[in-house]
Amino acid sequence: MVSPGPTQTEMQSKFGMDEAALEAVKAQIIAQVPLGKMGLPEDVAKMVVYLADNSSSSFITGAEFFIDGGMAL
């Protein structure tokens, strides 16, 4: 299972907030992420591709992969 954390997407701009309020919310989220940044869709996609490739993940079973910048720790 792939469990992404805060991820920077276009959807964030569709919350109906002005730019300043949106940036304030992002700053609050980023402050909770040990790596100090939001993930990118590409970060999640790379893990999904890795798991879908049988040559690289054929011995992985029943695992959860957190792509959250360390938040789950």
Side-chain angles (χ1 to χ4, degrees):
M1 177 168 55
V2 175
S3 297
T7 306
Q8 181 72 40
T9 65
E10 292 178 20
M11 184 180 219
Q12 293 170 348
S13 64
K14 300 182 194 263
F15 289 135
M17 291 187 230
D18 63 38
E19 190 67 30
L22 184 58
E23 290 304 315
V25 170
K26 286 182 186 180
Q28 289 176 345
I29 293 170
I30 291 170
Q32 298 175 36
V33 180
L35 288 182
K37 64 178 188 172
M38 294 182 88
L40 299 173
E42 293 86 354
D43 297 323
V44 178
K46 288 175 187 177
M47 182 53 136
V48 171
V49 168
Y50 176 82
L51 292 171
D53 181 1
N54 195 41
S55 66
S56 60
S57 64
S58 65
F59 208 60
I60 296 172
T61 62
E64 182 172 6
F65 296 90
F66 295 97
I67 305 172
D68 63 1
M71 291 182 73
L73 295 175

